[in-house]
Amino acid sequence: MAASTDAPARRGRLTVALRAAAALAAGGLVFLSVPPRPTWWLAPVGFAVLALLLHDRRPRPAFGYGFLFGLGFMTPLLSWTGVFVGPVAWLPLSALEAALVAVPCVAIAAVAHLRAWYLWAALLWVAGESLRALFPFGGFPWGKIAFGQPEGLYLPLAALGGTPLIAFAVTLTGFGLGELVRRAAITRAPRALLVPVLATVLPLAAGVAAIPAVGTDADAGEITVAAIQGNVPRAGLDFNAQRRAVLDNHVKRTEQLAADVAAGKAAQPDIVIWPENASDIDPYRNADAAQAITRAVAAIKAPVALGAVVVRPDGPRNMVIQWDPGTGPVDEYIKRQLQPFGETMPMREFFRLFSSTVDRAGTFQPGDEATVFRMGEARLALVTCYEVAFDGVVRDSVLNGSNLLAVPTNNATFGRTEMTYQQLAMDRIRAVEHGRTVIVAATSGVSAIVLPDGTVTQRTDLFTPAALVERVPLRTATTMADRLGAWPEWSMVLAGLAALVFALVTGRRPRSAKDVPSGQHG
């Protein structure tokens, strides 16, 4: 009798364990959809599995499966955060992000009894991404689903509704596919399967239909740009211990390009982009650094936008300086969205209890202006490194009269991890979203030229000096995504929350064998 009583309990535990493993695997599939891999289509497959796990689930198991899904996604995605400091940063951050992923999963389970629940589920996923972009410590939107789609059919949707629209489309495909599988296990009636089929296919069709919205014409002319990658002495947190060597590397590579131009081996650039932290020696306080920069600018005969750390009485600034030939510094852009636990350290005293590495974090002060550099025909918008992950920061810069976008970045801290490729994927999404050529200049790679349709025409290898020179289109046309701004995101968030409120008010529908496939009870 005891054996017969224990058998259902064992089967129940096994079922839960298999579901937990499926949740981890589903998150892993979404991770595997992210560059440098071109397997963008794995993301909706991962969400299809998540849909099956969350459908009609109660809040506690929904949170648990959502958390495991988040761990499967975020833990490998963010592994670069611990490459030099160990798991003290990587694992807590991954767990926190996984918990934030679990929050919309609870809401998704709550709307599962509504008609077309997969539509509301996709809207609630967008709401969850909006939460992660704001909280905690100013937000961390690194795991946005859109950032894994620079190769996929969904990419053109960025020009219409930005990253939230891509996230909605990908998750609607996935949740629709999950519902299709669930219903197919119950019935083969075409009418019952039609709407989930449409939910699966229409977002992909919308991506194809949106291709004409992606502008590529040079409506403001063309210029020749150069991106300089000077390289660093060594990777890691102490890469800037040899600050003069980093500056000298960029001066040397710029002077080499100038020699190539003089010899007819390279085109004369109209503007030059140096990376973030190209001069961690304040050129306003150090005459020798200023002289070296002036010499390089004079040699290349073009204005240079260079990343520098500038010391002010109230704290340092992560800055991009426009340095013109014969004039010197003429304009400045101060990084507005600072990286917590890097450029700043929230709750420093508390986190020092766990690791002394918190004292490596800086005391940088943010800027407050979306400055656009006037460099000949170019009107150069700037977002520095980490800022490219934030929708509003990029949008404000682009809409401030720009016709070109530059992303100076410094990824040397993260060695040869996937971080730099993840960031390049963001650059490609931003190119389509805003209809701008994007010039990526990285201290140690990957530097790249990205056209307004997201195509990468040139890119460098990691940890090697390089110069990319190309003639690129200037564009002032405004995409639908820029004209609408944040309205698509907040409309989707409000619609998702309204569906959640309605679901909670109307209550949970009783489950029955005809509603749930065999093996999906519980």
Side-chain angles (χ1 to χ4, degrees), residues 3 60 62 66 121-122 126 160 167 194 244 302 304 356 366 375-376 383-384 414 417-418 422 433 460 486 493 509 518:
R60 184 175 174 181
V126 174
L160 298 180
L194 177 61
R244 185 54 194 251
V304 176
S356 61
M375 306 174 78
V383 289
T384 304
F414 306 109
T417 66
E418 293 186 0
Q422 294 171 11
E433 180 181 4
T460 65
V493 169
R509 181 181 58 186
S518 176

Side-chain angles (χ1 to χ4, degrees), residues 112-130:
H113 69 277
L114 300 181
R115 289 184 180 272
W117 72 271
Y118 29 90
L119 171 66
W120 314 121
L123 294 171
L124 286 167
W125 181 271
V126 174
E129 287 199 348
S130 300

Side-chain angles (χ1 to χ4, degrees), residues 244 247 281 283 285-293 295:
R244 185 54 194 251
L247 172 58
I281 302 174
R285 291 172 173 246
N286 295 270
D288 56 339
Q291 290 168 3
I293 295 168
R295 187 176 72 247

Side-chain angles (χ1 to χ4, degrees), residues 13-96:
R13 288 193 294 269
L14 178 60
T15 298
V16 171
L18 290 174
R19 288 173 180 164
L24 283 168
L29 287 174
V30 178
F31 163 70
L32 291 174
S33 74
V34 175
R37 292 159 295 276
T39 47
W40 58 272
W41 47 271
L42 287 175
V45 175
F47 281 105
V49 177
L50 182 64
L52 292 170
L53 292 169
L54 294 180
H55 186 268
D56 220 13
R57 201 70 60 202
R58 296 187 181 277
R60 184 175 174 181
F63 184 91
Y65 295 138
F67 180 73
L68 291 173
F69 174 86
L71 283 180
F73 175 35
M74 292 293 181
T75 306
L77 183 78
L78 303 179
S79 60
W80 50 267
T81 61
V83 67
F84 288 108
V85 298
V88 66
W90 168 37
L91 295 182
L93 176 61
S94 300
L96 175 59

Side-chain angles (χ1 to χ4, degrees), residues 83-351:
V83 67
F84 288 108
V85 298
V88 66
W90 168 37
L91 295 182
L93 176 61
S94 300
L96 175 59
E97 291 299 301
L100 292 174
V101 166
V103 171
C105 289
V106 174
I108 289 168
V111 301
H113 69 277
L114 300 181
R115 289 184 180 272
W117 72 271
Y118 29 90
L119 171 66
W120 314 121
L123 294 171
L124 286 167
W125 181 271
V126 174
E129 287 199 348
S130 300
L131 173 65
R132 287 192 282 115
L134 297 172
F135 173 85
F137 310 123
F140 187 69
W142 203 270
K144 279 195 166 192
I145 296 304
F147 295 151
Q149 298 296 315
E151 302 282 353
L153 296 179
Y154 302 101
L155 175 62
L157 295 173
L160 298 180
T163 61
L165 185 58
I166 293 180
F168 172 74
V170 172
T171 52
L172 181 57
T173 295
F175 291 142
L177 178 60
E179 177 65 3
L180 178 62
V181 171
R182 192 188 75 87
R183 289 194 186 186
I186 305 171
T187 179
R188 295 294 189 270
R191 289 183 59 186
L193 303 179
L194 177 61
V195 177
V197 168
L198 292 176
T200 303
V201 174
L202 285 181
L204 291 163
V208 175
I211 290 175
V214 179
T216 58
D217 59 305
D219 64 18
E222 295 181 343
I223 63 167
T224 301
V225 300
I228 302 296
Q229 179 176 304
N231 204 13
V232 298
R234 57 181 176 270
L237 292 176
D238 61 346
F239 80 94
N240 60 356
Q242 299 185 43
R243 296 179 179 183
R244 185 54 194 251
V246 176
L247 172 58
D248 288 345
N249 284 353
H250 288 85
V251 170
K252 179 180 178 181
R253 192 61 188 84
T254 303
E255 290 176 334
Q256 181 183 335
L257 175 60
D260 290 341
V261 170
K265 298 178 181 179
Q268 170 64 49
D270 297 302
I271 69 170
V272 179
I273 312 297
W274 281 13
E276 177 188 30
N277 302 131
S279 178
D280 268 2
I281 302 174
D282 185 344
Y284 295 135
R285 291 172 173 246
N286 295 270
D288 56 339
Q291 290 168 3
I293 295 168
T294 298
R295 187 176 72 247
V297 172
I300 198 61
K301 300 177 183 177
V304 176
L306 64 101
V309 173
V310 174
V311 179
R312 298 277 169 83
D314 60 339
R317 304 294 195 277
N318 190 343
M319 186 179 291
V320 181
I321 303 172
Q322 179 181 339
W323 207 288
D324 285 0
T327 305
V330 296
D331 207 350
E332 300 172 347
Y333 169 73
I334 301 173
K335 188 174 183 179
R336 290 167 288 155
Q337 188 77 39
L338 298 177
Q339 180 188 348
F341 304 96
E343 292 164 316
T344 64
M345 187 63 221
M347 303 170 60
R348 188 182 297 264
E349 295 297 326
F350 171 76
F351 285 109

